[in-house]
Every structure is written in C-alpha cells, then in structure tokens.
Amino acid sequence: MGRGDDYEDDDDIEPEDGDEYGEDLYEEEPEEEDEDDDYGGRGGGGGKGGKGSVKKRQRSDFIDDVAEEDDDEEEDEEVYARGRRHKKSRGGGFIDDIAAEVDDDEEEEEDGEDDFIVDTTTDVVEDERRMHRRPLLSREEQEEDVEDLERRIQERYARSSQSEYDEETTDVEQQALLPSVRDPKLWMVKCAIGREREVAVCLMQKCIDKGSELQIRSVVALDHLKNFVYVEADKEAHVREAVKGMRNIYPSKILLVPIKEMTDVLSVETKAIDLSRDTWVRMKTGTYKGDLAKVLDVDNVRQRVTVKLIPRIDLQVLANKLEGRDVAKKKAFVPPPRFMNTEEARDLHIRVERRRDSMTGDYYENINGMMFKDGFLIKSVSIKSISTQNIQPTFDELEKFRHPGEGDGDIGSLSTLFATRKKGHFMKGDAVIVVKGDLKNLKGWVEKVEDGNVHIRPNEKGLPKTLAINEKDLCKFFEPGNHVKVISGSHEGATGMVVKVDFHVLIIISDTTKEDVRLSCFVSLCVLTIGDKIRVFADHVVESSEVTTGVTKIGGFELHDLVLLDNATFGVIIRVESEAFQVLKGVPDRPEVVLVRLREIRSKIDKKLFAQDRSKNPVAVKDVVKVLEGPCKGKQGPVEHIYRGVLFIFDRHHLEHAGFICAKSQSCLVVGGSRGNREKMGDPLSYLRTPQRIPQSPGRLPPRGPQSDFGGRGRGGGRGHDSLIGTTIKIRLGPYKGYRGRVKDIKGTTVRVELESQMKEVTVERSYISDNVTVTTPYRDTSRYGMGSETPMHPSRTPMHPYMTPMRDARATPIHDGMRTPMRDRAWNPYAPMSPARENWEDANPASWGSSPQYRPGSPPSRTYDAPTPVGWASTPGGNYNDPETPRDGNAPSPYLPSTPGTQPTTPSSVSYLPGTPGGQPTTPGGGGLDMMSPMIGGENEGLWLLPDILVNVIKSGDDSMVGVVQEVLPDGSCRVALGTSGNGEVITALPNEIDLIPPRKADKIKIMGGAQRGFTGKLIGVDGADGIVKVDESLDVKILDMGILAKLA
Amino acid sequence: MFFHIILERNMQLHPRHFGPRLRDKLVSKLMKDVEGTCSGRHGFVVAIMGIEHVGKGLIRDGTGFVTFPVKYKCVVFRPFKGEILEAVVTMVNKMGFFAEAGPVQVFVSNHLIPDDMEFQSADTPNYTTSDNSVKIQKDSEVRLKIIGTRVDATEIFCIGTIKDDFLGVISDPGAAS
C-alpha cells in the first residue's frame, strides 16, 4: 500500500505543480513535468519539454497504471496486470487525458500529441512492443519496491534534478531551469524525411527495451523540423550508440545544439492558424510565389495541402514541351495568371484528360500531370511552402479568384481571414457578443477598452457589472434592422441596414445602391463582388444614425460622373469603393459593369453634348427620355450623360447599376411636352423652309434684330476674344459640311457653332468653317434660341418678310411693348431696354403674311406666338406698311431714300433702324435690336444692306465672280448690278446671296453699310485687324468701324 | 402607424394673393406644399385635417413675401420597427422584393423571405415556394413586419421581413386570375 500512498500523494501534489509550471516557459507540459516530478524531477526542468518526455511518458504511463491498479485492487495478480498492461499501455494517454482534464487549465496539446503518437505509432511498433513487453514487465515486477525505482530515477537525474519545488518559484529558479553546461546536451541527428516521429518512437522503444544501457535521455521530433530529430544525451558517443543499427536514421551527421539554442528547440510557437479548408494562403516559392491560393484540403499527416491557384501556365510553351520541341527557357518570364481554358489547350494539341480523383470523387482535367478544375490549378504542395499568416488578400486578388463559373463562393472562406484586428476595434457603447470561451454568446456593451481586454457590461442578470474579456473573444453584435456604417474595408463609409446576421457575417442593404453587402464583424479586409452581392469583411461596422451616402468621391471622380476609360470606352461611375470604381460602360446592348481603379480612368467627360433621339429630336442632358429598344426597353428617366450617341439614363426604379441605364440615343424618345411639340412643328417647317430658303436669303433683315441682341451683350465681350464669335459662318468640311450657323464660342482650334437648321450646337474645327460666308439668315437661329420652342417656325417664314420686317422691327415692336406707343419714333427707347427682338418678328410676320398671302399656311405656328399681342398687331400691320414713311421722315431720311427705290426691303429697314437709334445705340445696348446690328452686321453680311454705288462681287451659280457696282436695291432684296469695276457693263439682277462685298483696302473710298453712319461715304485710312479707320467725308470725323460694314465704293 | 398631430409651418405667400381669399390661398398652398411630404421626425404627412391657427404675417424684407406661421392638424404615417404592415409588392428581384405600404417603401431581402421560397426569374420575377402554392410577384399583397427603418430628411425606407408567423402573401393577383 506504501506504493499506493506514495502515488496518491503525488497525485495530490499535481495541481500545485501544475501551477508552478504554468508559469514555466513551456506551458504545455506541466503534465509530464508532474510525472517527472514524481520521479524526482528532471534535469533542466521545463526546459526539456516536448517530445523529450515521450519516452518518459511511456514509462510514467506504466507507472500510472500501476498506481491505479494499486488503488483499485491492490492484490492484483501479476497475470492480470500483465493482461491489462497491454491495453493500458495503449490507453496510457487516455488516463493522462483524464488527469489533465481534472486539473483544469492544463489542457495541452502535448496530450493530444502523445495520444496521437500512441495511437498511431503503437500500431507500428505494436508487435515489437508485445515482444518486449514481458521483460519489461518482469523487470518492473521485480522492482516491487517503488523506492528502488525512485532511487534509480533519482540517480539518473540526480545531477540536474531540482529536488523540491517550493510553492513559489522565483524568476531565479526559473532561470535555473534553463540548461547549463552540466546538463545533457541536445544533439541533432539526421533521419529520413517524414520519419521523425517514427524514429523518436523507435528510440523510445529501444530505450525501454534496453533500459539503462542506452545513455540517451530523451528524443524529440519536432513537427516543424523535417529531416532531424533531437536526442538528449551527455555525449555524442551515447547518441551514436543509441542510434546504431536503426533504420531511417543517419548518424553520420550529428550536430550539437548550442546551449543557448536549446530552449528554442523546444519552445513551442503559438500555434499558427489551423489550416483548414477554404483558408486563403500564399505560396512561398516557385512560379506561384506570392500568389494567393485557397486551401482545398489539408493532409496533416503528410504535411501537404491541396490548394487552388490561378494557373500561370503558358500553353504555348507547354505545347511545345509536350511535343518535344525545343523550349527556349526564359527564366525571368513568369506567365501571368489566367484561368486554364481546356478548349484552348486542345487547340494547341495538348492532351487534356478528364479524370476522376479517387479520393474526392471530383473530376479534374489533367494536363501534363497538372490538375485543373474550373480553370483553376489544383495543386498539392507542402505545408511548408505556403504561408498562412497574415494573408490579406487584396481586393483584386479576390476578385480574380472569383471565377465566372464559381458563382457564390461560400462565406466560410471569408471568415478564415481573421486577421489581426486594428487597434481600437471596439468602442465604448458597442454591442458585442462573446464568441469564445465559457461566456460564449453572452451579449453586452462595451464599457471600457484596455489594451487587449475589453470590459463589457453583460446583458444578463446575475453577472458582475462588468467583465473583462479578451478582445479576441469578442465580436461586434448586430441585429437585423440596425442601421450601420461600415468603417473599414472597401465599403468604408457606406451605410446600410442589416438584413441578416449570420454569425459574424452581416448582410446589409446599402442605402445608396440598395444592394446587399456582406460584412464580417471580424475581419476588415476586402470585398468580394459576386454577382450583385457584395460581401465585405468589415472589421468595423458601427451602428449609426447618420445616413451617409458612403464615399462618393475618389480623386477627381465622383459618383455618377461620366468617365473615359480608354479611347473607346467610357462609362458612368455607379459605385465608389475604397480602391476602385464600378463603372457602367457605355455599351448600349447590354449592361456591362467593370471595376476600374483610379488610375485606369483617363479623364472625366464634362462636355455637354447633344444627341438625337429616334425622331431626331435633340436630346440634352436632363431631358426625360424613354427607352424604346434594347434590354431596358420601357424604362424612362432623365438623361444624365450623353456621349458618342450613347445616353446614360437614370431611372430611379431601376435597381441595378445604381439606377443607370445605358442606351443608344437612337433607341430613345424624348418625353415631354415642349420637346414633342417642337418635333411636330419641326416637320412642317422643314419643308416650308427648304424651298424658301434660297430665294429668301435676302431676308437678312430679320436676323438683324436678334443679332443685335447679341451685339449688345455678347458682342462687346466676344469681340475682344475673337471677332468670329457671334458671326455667322458656313461649315465647309466635315460631317456638318454645308451647314450654317453662328459661332458661339471658340476654343483653341475648335469652334462651337450653333447650327441654324438644327437648333443645336456642334463643335467643328476652325479650319472647317468659312467665315466670310454671307449667310443670309444667320440670326434667326439666335433668335430662335432665345425664344425657346416657338422659334423654329420663324426661320421658315422669315425669308419672306425680309422687306417688311425691317420696318416693322423697328416700329412694330414699340407698339407691342407698350401697346401705347404706336409711334415708332418714340418707340425706340422704350423698346430698346426690353429688346424683345422676337416680338418684332412676330409682328413683322403677320404683316408679311398680309402682304404675301401665299405663305399663310406656314404662319399658323406663329400664331401661338403672337397670341399675346393680338391687338398690337392688328394695328401694326396697317401701321407697318405706312410706317415706312414715317420713320423716314423722322429718322434717317437720307439713307433711306436712296435705298427705297430699289431695295425696298433692306434699306427701309436699315433706315428705320439707324434713324431710330442713332442716339440710342450707344446708350441702349439692350435695345440692341437696332444698334447692335449695325456694328455687328458689319461682320456678317453685306447682303443685308447693300447700298447703291458700292462695288461688289457677283457670283452667279456656275459662273465666276464678276465685279460689279450696285445700281439699285430692289424691293425683294435683290440688286441690280452693273458689271464692271466702274459699273459700265451689263446690268444684271443678282440675289443678295450671290453678292459679296468687296472688302476695301486702305485708302479706298468706302461706303458705310451699317451703323449710325449707314450710307455715309468716307475714306478708309487704315486697317486695324477687323476694324477699319474711316474718315467720314461729310463730317471729316475719323471713326473706327468694323471692316465688315465697309464697302468699297465704285 | 398613423398619428393625428398638430404641426407648424411657416408659409410664404406672394403679395399677389393678398386679398379676401388670402386664407384660402394659404390653406391650399399649405396642402400643396405639405401633403405627401415626409419629415424624418413625423413621417409622411398623409392629409391635412384642418388649420389650427394662422399667425400674424410678417413681410420679408426685399421680397415682399409674407411669412405666416400656420398650425395645422394633420394625419401622419410613420413606420416603426416591429410594426406589421400590409403592402403591395412593386418589384421583385433576386435580392428580394420591394413593397409599398402607402408612401413607404419597404424592402424585403431574400434573407428575410422564408427559406422555402425561391426566386424564379421568369417573365414576372417572383418568389415561389417549392410546391408552388405561394407566390410573391409584382402586385401581390403581403403582410410584413418592419425590422428596420432608415429615416432620412425626406424619405423613410424600411427593411421588412416575412419570415415570421402569419406573415406573407395575403392576396395574390396571379391566384385570382
């Protein structure tokens, strides 16, 4: 019973020992230590943990057994004991386990490993063991006296033994446990790879068999060290002796481990993340070095893992190799990763076999011994060749790993990304849940955060007010319906509502995109976009009451911007992520979303362009259009961007792509009143317009009105920049060849031209325009614009009024304005400020109608226009006609008169204008109607104001230009021109558009064609750019006038 | 939930309306301005029931507009978390479906649709149980529970669930036809 007592005492001591060892360097082996202590401790104490104890363990197991037996049945027969022995010896570990569980915190891996060894290796050595058992037992039996055993062991460890452990071990004592020179050394012995454990066990067995003959103390096989085992012995010779005759061990190389490093050998690193399926790892070596891989399978025994990689295989090279062709080996070149395309491989005559893996039952494509599945390379590699720590797959990598065929990968893999969390992960007030340990699933709120520990206020009653819990065991806690904000990861800044909580993975519905976002409460890494769903591992999701839209801007690009990706592609940013944008490409037939990084974006497209819809309506940004064709047929919404005939329409009912729809402008129709009307009106006009245009061109008069508008404001400024602005030009080349329009703006070598026939602005090369075209109807356009939707009609009729308009313009307007100012003379001033140029028109028109009944049909549209001022015009028409005289009398008798005879239309108008405005011009820019024209006109057209006696070029179609002198201007706008420089040739009648002014040169006699001095003659004494310096004959004043209004006198 | 509450608002009125019908004008303008709007605090203003009080108008410098403080009684609708609502499905997609309960838009994510209902992307996208007995498609009426609300200044957006007892389709247009 002494024996039993002894052991029981020992057992009692265990916990204390355990405690002591808990402080030891190597926490995992107190158990063994305890047992060792039973035998009087062991040299080096804790310093030699690990498998060093394996051998001893085996022993102690036996002893434990004995002890137990003694406890249970003291007088156990040897035979019985023997019978059990065998079983027990295998189950020794088991008993240890129980012991381990009993003393609570000391649950160590060693146990497990020991078990493992026992389990597996005993199988291997079982027979052996059976054979040897007897002698061992008998020996043990012989030593009935445990004292004896104890003595022997003590003897063995005498030198280094720590005879007793005090209750408190001090640092010094701990220090003393470290190996010293007097302690046995550790020798590193080479053995067969993969046989380390086996060797250790064999040695242990040998030791058991041979007893003290073997002078080694322990054998250690380390998992992380291949090819070597450590043997603890005093001398190298002892080691050699011990390993002699053993298989798998190569005693040729026995190295001494320096004392300093001995502890390192046996210190156990904190366990790395357990490799498990779906873990992300990185390759350490080879072609795939640095590549992200996903673990498919782990073989712990063989220390290999099967990983899935994106192959980096150059099929061409492979094909060459397979066909035995010479392969130029370029070491430096690493093929870029891309998915294996078996079709492609077959095309290159690479044999692709489809095989079934016997282990998993899955099918793989086998190419040259490499296995592929779904385009991925399935590779078995050694655990050593992958790194598992701190894998932070980047957004890109995960994105790439998302093979099209893969679909919705399981979220599990995301959870394996438990990376080290940022500091300050938790904040006071956060709702948290305990995910590990005894308090698992306890919910609470963060009260205080200390480093590494978080104090939480638990939700449950009966618990202390606050509990300190390791940060690692906590996870933020959210409930469906919480409104949250992502505070890290690529969705950083986004807010959304939690839809589902799946352990630590949240699915939130983003406020902005109304898309699912998956977040992990644990890991803050990245996003996977899979289909529509986005999963994020967001370390941080914070409950938030704010509704942010998330990040909407990176660099210069903002959400919903139209951006240029490369020359051919462009798109709208539909989502901004932390490192990239999602861009809906401008491909009309199908929505195509690409992920683009900041640097891949060329530029932002900021142009305001126009397009035409199916019915040739101009479509501008913000117009509401309806999609008539294509995948988004039936959708409707405002146009957000227009580029290259592609519209980006925002439909708020469209959930994908942030509501953006991409469609060809041709497959859309503008929705909405005014636009639609215009279209309707446009058509009738168009036919009206075309035929008339040419003959009417004389009708430049009307244009003047509006133009003058221009002159008033735009002109002044515009002039400074470029005299071209505001002028009417004709486009000579390019897609708009033949169009006329006004120059709106000039940028560098391009000119924006407002086309008169299409009511839109186009950009053309400056070289494409001919700016000295005498465009007859330039101003209509402007006016049209100004007027808005009604304008379109004008062009059509204007042509006809030419003559009357002039007078009207002046007079009619006044009438309208006031209703009360029928008097034209006075009218001017009141009129001027208001510059209702258009009104003039209308008024004019009716008048003209009156005169030219045949045009009536065209006029109705104008009605709308006129409607407001019916009275006005009722009176005006009559007046108008008469007017011509009135103005004359008052205003500008001289210029007018001459003109009247021939060119009624033009002259009167000019007359009326001039007279009215002489004073007014400078003062009333608004009234510009009149004044402005005069200056500006200069720039534009001579046709309008042809006056007698000036020298012109007549260009009859088909003929060359002929020089002639205007004899008179006919009422219809055409002129009688006497050919010849001196006007003594044949007299012909020329339409105004066939007439070109001959620009005067310095010292030429000139006639002023516009402005206050219209009709005056003078001498051009100098030219300064677009301005001419004129000495007016009559007054001898020197004036600076636009060259455009100067005509050479015959 | 509907509430009958009194709210106040400053109405600006153009001077041209000053006259005998000023008050009428004020009321009609108020209705036009307020009905159908949503304030984050009170929810959607469904209807104005009456004017409680019209304060003294104050002429604003520079514009001639007059500001009247108006107190009015109105019915507001504000969804709450946990509230059960009946709503009409307006759109079904693979992420779930949107339903409208009056002015409130409710999104029911596919995670909050019973697991036995699967998304069918047919002509009319819908969620259907495996035995085809229940179908959620556009215009279906569903009873749902609000699990979260997001209240913006001008919008209330809710997340709902039908993954609970007695929730789900209450009338199906497809079934009727």
Side-chain angles (χ1 to χ4, degrees):
Chain A
M1 190 58 228
R3 223 163 54 149
D5 284 345
D6 232 329
Y7 275 92
E8 272 175 55
D9 287 347
D10 289 338
D11 284 347
D12 291 343
I13 303 167
E14 262 185 30
E16 290 152 25
D17 292 344
D19 285 346
E20 280 170 15
Y21 277 86
E23 293 156 34
D24 204 336
L25 272 174
Y26 313 106
E27 292 183 21
E28 45 290 344
E29 10 162 58
E31 191 79 23
E32 280 90 47
E33 303 304 342
D34 296 345
E35 281 148 20
D36 294 341
D37 301 344
D38 292 347
Y39 305 102
R42 175 165 54 111
K48 324 259 162 72
K51 255 123 273 155
S53 57
V54 166
K55 193 175 65 185
K56 278 175 265 163
R57 164 66 78 91
Q58 203 65 24
R59 251 167 190 282
S60 53
D61 283 351
F62 295 137
I63 292 157
D64 269 358
D65 292 350
V66 173
E68 281 220 354
E69 279 162 33
D70 288 348
D71 290 347
D72 301 342
E73 339 138 35
E74 276 172 70
E75 296 89 23
D76 206 348
E77 247 90 307
E78 289 168 12
V79 186
Y80 179 60
R82 203 178 293 157
R84 280 181 75 180
R85 184 97 313 143
H86 178 61
K87 278 184 238 152
K88 279 258 175 169
S89 64
R90 297 193 58 193
F94 173 64
I95 294 165
D96 272 355
D97 277 351
I98 293 174
E101 274 164 41
V102 170
D103 56 21
D104 27 33
D105 24 357
E106 332 267 24
E107 216 181 312
E108 347 83 69
E109 288 151 72
E110 272 317 312
D111 263 341
E113 276 166 29
D114 281 356
D115 279 346
F116 178 73
I117 294 169
V118 171
D119 286 346
T120 54
T121 51
T122 40
D123 288 339
V124 183
V125 288
E126 187 153 10
D127 293 344
E128 250 178 310
R129 185 179 289 185
R130 248 189 219 139
M131 270 167 19
H132 299 302
R133 184 106 327 153
R134 191 166 293 270
L136 179 68
L137 284 174
S138 56
R139 191 185 66 206
E140 202 175 323
E141 283 148 18
Q142 284 159 12
E143 304 155 349
E144 284 199 64
D145 196 356
V146 185
E147 303 291 343
D148 183 33
L149 182 67
E150 205 177 334
R151 184 183 47 78
R152 283 205 302 128
I153 291 165
Q154 224 143 27
E155 197 177 285
R156 184 171 154 194
Y157 288 101
R159 260 185 295 164
S160 55
S161 74
Q162 196 94 14
S163 51
E164 266 180 44
Y165 289 104
D166 287 320
E167 287 295 297
E168 317 105 305
T169 17
T170 60
D171 278 354
V172 178
E173 282 169 45
Q174 286 289 319
Q175 206 63 40
L177 294 176
L178 290 172
S180 68
V181 267
R182 294 191 303 150
D183 290 322
K185 322 274 186 301
L186 212 47
W187 306 90
M188 210 158 90
V189 186
K190 199 161 183 180
C191 67
I193 295 177
R195 302 302 183 102
E196 299 83 4
R197 285 175 182 227
E198 192 184 321
V199 165
V201 173
C202 287
L203 268 171
M204 175 179 75
Q205 191 61 47
K206 194 172 180 182
C207 190
I208 293 166
D209 295 344
K210 295 223 173 170
S212 51
E213 278 176 46
L214 230 50
Q215 307 216 14
I216 58 171
R217 308 299 177 98
S218 67
V219 181
V220 184
L222 294 178
D223 280 339
H224 59 266
L225 184 79
K226 298 277 175 197
N227 219 351
F228 289 98
V229 288
Y230 290 100
V231 178
E232 186 188 3
D234 291 312
K235 294 188 172 129
E236 187 179 338
H238 295 161
V239 180
R240 285 194 190 283
E241 185 65 25
V243 302
K244 196 157 75 184
M246 290 186 71
R247 277 180 303 156
N248 298 330
I249 200 158
Y250 314 117
S252 56
K253 213 176 184 190
I254 295 178
L255 299 170
L256 177 66
V257 178
I259 288 179
K260 266 193 216 160
E261 290 168 25
M262 281 172 76
T263 49
D264 296 330
V265 168
L266 294 173
S267 63
V268 178
E269 290 166 22
T270 47
K271 260 278 183 190
I273 301 172
D274 275 325
L275 266 183
S276 58
R277 288 178 184 211
D278 294 331
T279 313
W280 294 109
V281 295
R282 256 179 224 289
M283 307 302 290
K284 275 191 204 156
T285 53
T287 321
Y288 297 96
K289 185 173 179 183
D291 278 13
L292 189 69
K294 192 176 188 179
V295 177
L296 292 185
D297 202 7
V298 186
D299 185 342
N300 273 318
V301 179
R302 292 171 57 214
Q303 298 285 296
R304 294 187 80 77
V305 284
T306 309
V307 294
K308 185 162 95 171
L309 285 158
I310 301 172
R312 285 178 183 272
I313 290 166
D314 189 331
L315 283 175
Q316 194 58 55
V317 171
L318 185 66
N320 290 346
K321 203 168 113 195
L322 287 179
E323 283 169 27
R325 269 175 272 163
D326 192 31
V327 187
K329 282 228 166 180
K330 276 189 234 154
K331 267 279 175 185
F333 177 70
V334 176
R338 62 189 279 264
F339 292 107
M340 172 59 72
N341 187 337
T342 49
E343 299 303 315
E344 221 172 282
R346 284 198 183 101
D347 288 347
L348 287 165
H349 308 292
I350 298 173
R351 215 173 128 207
V352 180
E353 291 169 68
R354 196 165 164 77
R355 263 189 218 162
R356 188 163 173 272
D357 187 74
S358 52
M359 300 283 278
T360 57
D362 287 337
Y363 283 95
Y364 296 99
E365 273 95 36
N366 191 313
I367 300 173
N368 191 28
M370 292 176 290
M371 309 242 275
F372 295 93
K373 194 174 186 209
D374 302 326
F376 288 101
L377 172 65
I378 310 295
K379 201 177 179 198
S380 172
V381 296
S382 156
I383 285 185
K384 278 204 298 182
S385 66
I386 54 173
S387 68
T388 55
Q389 295 280 25
N390 268 333
I391 306 301
Q392 303 210 339
T394 64
F395 182 72
D396 271 5
E397 285 172 319
L398 288 177
E399 192 57 34
K400 272 192 226 143
F401 241 83
R402 194 192 105 218
H403 191 257
E406 194 194 13
D408 203 279
D410 65 323
I411 192 77
S413 57
L414 310 184
S415 61
T416 59
L417 286 167
F418 285 31
T420 47
R421 269 198 276 226
K422 263 198 230 164
K423 286 275 174 208
H425 174 68
F426 294 103
M427 290 202 303
K428 189 178 178 207
D430 283 353
V432 291
I433 184 163
V434 182
V435 291
K436 232 163 138 186
D438 292 345
L439 294 171
K440 191 170 171 178
N441 288 340
L442 176 77
K443 290 169 198 159
W445 292 273
V446 175
E447 280 287 294
K448 198 166 88 178
V449 184
E450 280 169 358
D451 84 349
N453 277 326
V454 177
H455 294 255
I456 67 162
R457 178 160 47 88
N459 205 7
E460 303 288 321
K461 285 196 185 100
L463 283 171
K465 219 172 141 199
T466 57
L467 293 167
I469 292 183
N470 193 311
E471 195 178 51
K472 292 201 173 89
D473 300 344
L474 283 177
C475 177
K476 290 203 181 173
F477 177 69
F478 297 95
E479 278 177 324
N482 285 159
H483 193 232
V484 295
K485 180 179 183 184
V486 184
I487 57 174
S488 67
S490 55
H491 280 258
E492 184 170 335
T495 58
M497 227 182 288
V498 178
V499 174
K500 194 180 182 193
V501 180
D502 196 357
F503 301 106
H504 54 269
V505 176
L506 300 180
I507 295 172
I508 70 171
I509 269 274
S510 157
D511 288 342
T512 23
T513 55
K514 300 269 193 294
E515 270 176 350
D516 282 13
V517 180
R518 286 198 189 185
L519 304 161
S520 153
C521 306
F522 261 131
V523 188
S524 68
L525 289 183
C526 30
V527 196
L528 269 189
T529 319
I530 288 172
D532 263 339
K533 290 201 178 156
I534 296 156
R535 326 189 202 139
V536 185
F537 318 110
D539 199 350
H540 295 196
V541 179
V542 176
E543 196 160 356
S544 113
S545 54
E546 74 182 304
V547 179
T548 54
T549 47
V551 197
T552 58
K553 200 169 185 177
I554 309 180
F557 307 107
E558 213 171 337
L559 195 64
H560 302 169
D561 274 352
L562 182 65
V563 292
L564 195 64
L565 303 181
D566 56 56
N567 279 334
T569 51
F570 54 92
V572 169
I573 298 177
I574 52 171
R575 183 158 64 220
V576 182
E577 284 155 5
S578 69
E579 5 172 355
F581 299 98
Q582 273 193 18
V583 173
L584 174 67
K585 285 217 263 180
V587 188
D589 22 331
R590 83 207 108 90
E592 200 177 321
V593 176
V594 285
L595 253 158
V596 192
R597 313 182 116 232
L598 183 60
R599 59 181 145 77
E600 293 167 39
I601 295 182
R602 272 250 189 117
S603 62
K604 183 166 153 179
I605 302 171
D606 227 351
K607 291 180 195 155
K608 291 272 175 278
L609 297 178
F610 293 84
Q612 285 190 329
D613 71 356
R614 168 165 290 184
S615 323
K616 301 260 184 288
N617 289 315
V619 182
V621 171
K622 293 295 174 207
D623 283 357
V624 177
V625 299
K626 186 164 188 164
V627 184
L628 300 175
E629 286 177 343
C632 295
K633 187 177 171 182
K635 302 265 183 188
Q636 181 174 331
V639 176
E640 292 291 319
H641 298 288
I642 301 175
Y643 195 64
R644 293 188 194 164
V646 174
L647 309 181
F648 290 95
I649 303 156
F650 179 75
D651 179 4
R652 96 193 151 82
H653 299 292
H654 188 71
L655 287 181
E656 288 163 67
H657 313 133
F660 274 92
I661 299 166
C662 173
K664 264 194 220 128
S665 64
Q666 290 299 325
S667 46
C668 299
L669 193 64
V670 174
V671 179
S674 61
R675 302 258 162 199
N677 289 345
R678 187 198 279 184
E679 147 190 36
K680 278 172 221 144
M681 290 162 58
D683 289 340
L685 288 178
S686 56
Y687 55 78
L688 273 181
R689 213 184 281 162
T690 21
Q692 291 164 357
R693 185 167 295 148
I694 300 169
Q696 277 122 20
S697 24
R700 302 108 200 211
L701 287 180
R704 274 191 220 152
Q707 162 166 28
S708 45
D709 250 358
F710 242 84
R713 310 165 230 134
R715 236 302 161 105
R719 260 266 194 113
H721 301 126
D722 197 311
S723 57
L724 203 57
I725 292 178
T727 57
T728 301
I729 51 92
K730 184 170 175 180
I731 299 170
R732 298 187 294 126
L733 291 168
Y736 292 103
K737 181 177 176 180
Y739 283 79
R740 288 178 180 144
R742 288 177 59 81
V743 178
K744 302 289 282 186
D745 195 9
I746 297 177
K747 268 181 199 154
T749 59
T750 58
V751 179
R752 285 195 67 74
V753 178
E754 186 177 85
L755 297 184
E756 76 172 293
S757 57
Q758 293 201 348
M759 301 181 57
K760 68 176 185 183
E761 285 181 27
V762 296
T763 306
V764 292
E765 285 292 312
R766 192 166 178 172
S767 55
Y768 285 8
I769 61 173
S770 60
D771 45 0
N772 55 354
V773 183
T774 322
V775 184
T776 46
T777 51
Y779 304 120
R780 276 171 222 148
D781 258 3
T782 2
S783 55
R784 243 189 259 158
Y785 267 109
M787 296 187 199
S789 49
E790 333 100 81
T791 24
M793 351 157 161
H794 289 274
S796 49
R797 350 167 215 145
T798 18
M800 356 165 162
H801 344 147
Y803 18 103
M804 354 149 97
T805 11
M807 350 168 165
R808 241 69 31 83
D809 272 341
R811 282 133 226 173
T813 19
I815 303 169
H816 281 287
D817 285 345
M819 258 6 191
R820 17 127 198 167
T821 53
M823 313 300 303
R824 310 74 240 207
D825 304 357
R826 288 212 252 108
W828 297 119
N829 286 337
Y831 170 54
M834 314 196 60
S835 69
R838 317 131 194 189
E839 289 185 2
N840 296 348
W841 289 35
E842 301 154 15
D843 306 319
N845 299 340
S848 54
W849 304 136
S851 62
S852 53
Q854 70 274 27
Y855 289 120
R856 274 273 161 94
S859 51
S862 62
R863 280 277 154 74
T864 30
Y865 212 109
D866 307 316
T869 53
V871 187
W873 16 306
S875 58
T876 24
N880 283 341
Y881 271 111
N882 308 334
D883 290 344
E885 309 127 14
T886 19
R888 268 181 244 147
D889 344 274
N891 301 337
S894 52
Y896 175 55
L897 292 171
S899 58
T900 14
T903 22
Q904 266 219 11
T906 46
T907 25
S909 66
S910 51
V911 176
S912 55
Y913 279 133
L914 297 174
T917 41
Q921 283 201 18
T923 47
T924 56
L930 315 169
D931 324 333
M932 343 171 141
M933 334 157 356
S934 32
M936 344 182 52
I937 302 159
E940 272 83 8
N941 320 313
E942 345 84 46
L944 304 179
W945 338 313
L946 288 177
L947 292 171
D949 298 331
I950 59 168
L951 202 59
V952 293
N953 257 332
V954 180
I955 309 145
K956 281 281 190 186
S957 54
D959 292 351
D960 293 335
S961 65
M962 297 166 286
V963 179
V965 179
V966 177
Q967 290 197 324
E968 65 174 359
V969 182
L970 300 174
D972 64 359
S974 54
C975 306
R976 289 174 66 91
V977 179
L979 298 182
T981 41
S982 51
N984 43 16
E986 183 190 351
V987 176
I988 59 161
T989 308
L991 293 172
N993 59 346
E994 293 165 342
I995 298 172
D996 257 350
L997 279 187
I998 294 179
R1001 274 184 235 125
K1002 194 175 168 186
D1004 278 346
K1005 294 276 279 176
I1006 53 99
K1007 189 160 198 172
I1008 300 168
M1009 306 293 294
Q1013 269 84 25
R1014 182 179 162 95
F1016 290 134
T1017 55
K1019 191 176 173 189
L1020 186 63
I1021 55 173
V1023 181
D1024 178 16
D1027 294 327
I1029 302 158
V1030 177
K1031 189 174 182 189
V1032 183
D1033 291 343
E1034 204 174 295
S1035 57
L1036 293 177
D1037 280 345
V1038 175
K1039 306 238 169 205
I1040 296 177
L1041 295 168
D1042 196 304
M1043 283 296 282
I1045 62 165
L1046 303 180
K1048 190 174 177 182
L1049 267 182
Chain B
M1 208 175 289
F2 291 94
F3 298 92
H4 194 187
I5 55 170
I6 294 173
L7 293 176
E8 188 167 350
R9 183 183 173 87
N10 284 330
M11 299 290 302
Q12 289 209 21
L13 210 58
H14 193 273
R16 70 163 166 260
H17 301 302
F18 300 165
R21 296 177 54 81
L22 188 145
R23 193 184 161 92
D24 292 348
K25 184 68 202 172
L26 204 59
V27 174
S28 62
K29 188 171 177 343
L30 178 72
M31 286 184 163
K32 203 173 130 230
D33 283 4
V34 166
E35 283 185 5
T37 62
C38 169
S39 79
R41 188 175 152 80
H42 300 106
F44 292 91
V45 178
V46 177
I48 291 176
M49 307 299 290
I51 302 291
E52 189 86 339
H53 175 74
V54 178
K56 286 203 169 76
L58 201 73
I59 300 178
R60 296 183 69 94
D61 289 341
T63 62
F65 277 81
V66 171
T67 310
F68 293 95
V70 182
K71 274 192 181 163
Y72 56 97
K73 288 183 282 195
C74 62
V75 175
V76 293
F77 174 63
R78 192 191 195 289
F80 287 92
K81 206 165 158 175
E83 188 177 345
I84 309 283
L85 282 180
E86 282 164 18
V88 180
V89 176
T90 54
M91 179 187 310
V92 179
N93 62 27
K94 66 176 175 217
M95 292 185 301
F97 65 82
F98 286 88
E100 277 175 7
V104 182
Q105 201 182 31
V106 186
F107 177 67
V108 179
S109 163
N110 58 1
H111 305 289
L112 300 167
I113 293 173
D115 296 329
D116 61 335
M117 297 192 89
E118 291 257 312
F119 178 68
Q120 317 281 335
S121 58
D123 212 11
T124 50
N126 59 69
Y127 282 87
T128 318
T129 50
S130 48
D131 61 354
N132 242 349
S133 60
V134 183
K135 192 185 252 186
I136 296 175
Q137 60 190 32
K138 192 172 187 294
D139 297 330
S140 295
E141 285 169 34
V142 291
R143 180 176 294 132
L144 48 85
K145 184 164 100 177
I146 292 176
I147 58 163
T149 59
R150 189 188 79 227
V151 179
D152 298 356
T154 56
E155 189 198 25
I156 296 183
F157 181 74
C158 302
I159 299 282
T161 177
I162 56 167
K163 213 177 188 174
D164 214 336
D165 293 343
F166 307 109
L167 299 181
V169 177
I170 45 180
S171 94
D172 182 6
S177 61

